[in-house]
Amino acid sequence: MTLFAIKPIATLRAEAEATGEHGLTRALGPLNLVSLGIGAVIGAGIFVITGQVAALYAGPAVPLSMILVGVACAFAGLCYAEMASAVPVAGSAYTYAYATMGEFAAWIIGWDLVLEYAAGAATVGVGWSAHFVSLLGLFGDTQVAAHAGGCTHAGLNLTGAIVNLPAVLIVVVMSAVLVIGIRESARVNSVIVILKVAIVLLVVLVSLSHLRRANWTPFIPPNTGEWGTYGWSGVLRGAGLVFFAYIGFDTVSTAAQESKNPQRDMPIGILGSLAVCTLLYVAVSAVLVGMVPYGELNIAAPMAYAMERIGAPWWIRVSIDVGAVLGIGSVILVMLLGQSRVFYSMSRDGLLGPWAGKVHPRFRTPYLSTIYTGIAVCLATGILPLQLLGTWVNIGTLLAFMLVCGGVWILRSTRPDLHRPFRTPWVPVVPILGILCCFGLMLTLPAVSGLRWAWRSTSPTVANTHSSARTSNRVTEQRHGETSRRIVGSLATHVVP
């Protein structure tokens, strides 16, 4: 029965208010929390995914895909906001699962979050290294590139390199910042966020004088006869891929125990960062397809290509690379923050060793969990070809979203008397829509698509269908799967594919 024991919310709240040797510093205000969310979401993908989705699926209507994704994410965001205000404790989905579904579910989601945070930080580290080398190349430096490859590639075959040194160094720097203190971490993240948002807005402003109405016509290109290639189905398919660019806003909830007023500020941080990121994605996608015909944007760096097409100054193109490097740096910082806080919460509940719960006497941070997480991420990002983990990062995140949506529904039934400073509207409609959106998006992932195809290919019913139709469907799905794999992988790693 202990496997399904639910931890009382009163106990969780009492532990969060502890100020002894295991207590964390409450130093984050609403702007800090919004900044954390933006830092986790806005990376290099904002300059990449917008053009690729426009070229392959949505056409000039790619801003509609962004808006649809914002609405879909809002379902999960509203549920996170209620849980974070009702259970203002570090641990995010892990803690919410413990309070609503029991210890076993919490243990599963705790390790599932490793796929989102630790593996996510490792893959993003590889992306940061690639963009950093690209930025240095603009200034004629080619020496660092020799130290920017992992010793293995897909299939874990040796490449001849020793370690991806830039990726390791950025993880070490961000881990050190997190150990020093949450105030210092929040300040570093805020500075990075201000700079990268300023660069995004600069790109948008430069683009305004080069917009052409003809590039937006027709706004929704007619469907080619194949589902998902332009038309409204293309807008929907594009939204499914763009969703993965928004992953990260939930990381705000891991910092609840370090918020000055979590019951008021956590909903502001979660929903505020989601709103800002949606506006930025809509603005960038709209100007990109307004500058260049959408059919030309299926390339590795569509925004850089558009800047070159309009004759933008060289320093604008350098700014895009600087924005990518800064953007990915803050993603690593916030992901490492989230992972260390999840381990801290698991240690508090006895599901992980006491080492993970130790708080530094001076800095008031869970320093051992931060250091050990940093070491593990350094080993992974420095040695392995972690782009391969992109799909699993997304699966881990979607599963967490689904459990949080379910947790809100459960808690409304089991604890209707619970004080909720923020209440998700239209329960259970919003949680159900959140679960359905996440499950549907999970089915579009390349790994899951591959399992579905393998099952159908061995099914007796499918085996008896007409061979030509089966072959045609297989070729179509493999082609779409390869495209989706490339785009989703680039989003998970925040690296140009």
Side-chain angles (χ1 to χ4, degrees):
M1 292 299 293
T2 57
L3 288 177
F4 303 99
I6 293 174
K7 192 166 187 177
I9 292 177
T11 302
L12 288 169
R13 286 177 171 175
E15 290 176 348
E17 295 301 325
T19 57
E21 60 176 341
H22 297 293
L24 303 178
T25 300
R26 293 194 177 276
L28 303 180
L31 291 179
N32 296 128
L33 296 172
V34 171
S35 180
L36 282 177
I38 297 173
V41 174
I42 301 297
I46 194 169
F47 296 127
V48 178
I49 185 62
T50 47
Q52 293 176 338
V53 168
L56 295 172
Y57 304 117
V62 65
L64 290 182
S65 295
M66 302 293 177
I67 293 172
L68 288 176
V69 172
V71 172
C73 285
F75 295 140
L78 288 167
C79 294
Y80 265 96
E82 175 169 324
M83 292 298 285
S85 67
V87 190
V89 182
S92 186
Y94 158 78
T95 300
Y96 308 152
Y98 210 152
T100 57
M101 303 176 190
E103 184 175 295
F104 183 64
W107 184 82
I108 290 176
I109 197 62
W111 289 107
D112 170 78
L113 288 175
V114 173
L115 291 176
E116 179 179 0
Y117 297 139
T123 54
V124 172
V126 176
W128 187 90
S129 176
H131 280 285
F132 183 65
V133 169
S134 174
L135 178 61
L136 292 181
L138 294 176
F139 297 95
D141 189 312
T142 59
Q143 298 300 314
V144 176
H147 305 283
C151 65
T152 61
H153 57 64
L156 300 183
N157 298 312
L158 295 179
T159 64
I162 298 176
V163 68
N164 192 331
L165 190 58
V168 171
L169 290 178
I170 187 62
V171 173
V172 169
V173 169
M174 293 306 178
S175 298
V177 171
L178 287 170
V179 169
I180 291 173
I182 189 62
R183 285 191 183 91
E184 292 73 13
S185 302
R187 287 170 186 159
V188 169
N189 179 71
S190 296
V191 170
I192 294 176
V193 166
I194 290 171
L195 289 174
K196 69 180 179 180
V197 170
I199 290 172
V200 171
L201 295 177
L202 173 65
V203 169
V204 171
L205 290 175
V206 169
S207 306
L208 292 180
S209 60
H210 299 276
L211 302 180
R212 300 291 180 266
R213 186 184 300 271
N215 291 333
W216 286 321
T217 306
F219 187 64
I220 302 179
N223 185 264
T224 61
E226 184 178 14
W227 194 94
T229 305
Y230 307 126
W232 278 105
S233 65
V235 173
L236 293 174
R237 186 176 182 87
L241 291 172
V242 169
F243 174 86
F244 302 108
Y246 284 70
I247 285 176
F249 68 88
D250 58 299
T251 315
V252 175
S253 60
T254 64
Q257 218 160 308
E258 291 156 291
S259 170
K260 295 177 182 177
N261 187 352
Q263 294 186 320
R264 182 199 67 185
D265 295 343
M266 293 309 295
I268 296 174
I270 294 170
L271 298 177
S273 61
L274 183 57
V276 170
C277 293
T278 300
L279 289 174
L280 290 176
Y281 269 103
V282 169
V284 170
S285 61
V287 299
L288 180 58
V289 294
M291 285 188 292
V292 179
Y294 65 88
E296 300 178 15
L297 296 175
N298 184 25
I299 53 179
M303 183 57 78
Y305 169 75
M307 290 292 105
E308 185 177 355
R309 277 284 305 270
I310 66 174
W314 179 78
W315 63 270
I316 291 288
R317 282 172 270 173
V318 172
S319 296
I320 293 176
D321 272 337
V322 172
V325 169
L326 291 173
I328 300 173
S330 67
V331 173
I332 296 172
L333 176 71
V334 179
M335 291 296 174
L336 291 173
L337 169 71
Q339 185 61 75
S340 62
R341 271 49 178 182
V342 170
F343 282 161
Y344 167 82
S345 297
M346 294 177 71
S347 174
R348 175 198 61 206
D349 296 330
L351 299 184
L352 201 60
W355 59 268
K358 290 187 179 297
V359 176
H360 195 281
R362 176 185 173 189
F363 300 135
R364 310 309 301 170
T365 58
Y367 69 108
L368 288 182
S369 64
T370 302
I371 291 172
Y372 292 153
T373 297
I375 291 172
V377 172
C378 279
L379 290 173
T381 198
I383 297 173
L384 299 177
L386 289 177
Q387 290 92 336
L388 299 176
L389 292 177
T391 295
W392 299 109
V393 172
N394 293 327
I395 287 177
T397 305
L398 289 169
L399 180 58
F401 284 8
M402 292 169 66
L403 288 177
V404 171
C405 290
V408 167
W409 191 3
I410 292 172
L411 207 58
R412 284 290 185 94
S413 300
T414 59
R415 289 293 308 276
D417 59 317
L418 183 67
H419 175 58
R420 296 172 172 84
F422 179 89
R423 296 178 67 87
T424 301
W426 306 315
V427 174
V429 175
V430 168
I432 290 174
L433 289 174
I435 292 171
L436 291 177
C437 286
C438 293
F439 183 71
L441 289 166
M442 194 180 290
L443 294 180
T444 69
L445 287 170
V448 180
S449 298
L451 291 175
R452 291 203 317 272
W453 177 82
W455 178 83
R456 287 203 300 269
S457 65
T458 57
S459 169
T461 303
V462 176
N464 292 327
T465 59
H466 196 276
S467 60
S468 62
R470 183 170 66 246
T471 302
S472 175
N473 289 338
R474 182 169 67 249
V475 171
T476 299
E477 182 159 340
Q478 286 175 338
R479 179 163 55 83
H480 278 299
E482 182 60 34
T483 302
S484 299
R485 186 178 296 108
R486 178 164 57 86
I487 295 178
V488 171
S490 72
L491 288 171
T493 61
H494 288 71
V495 61
V496 174

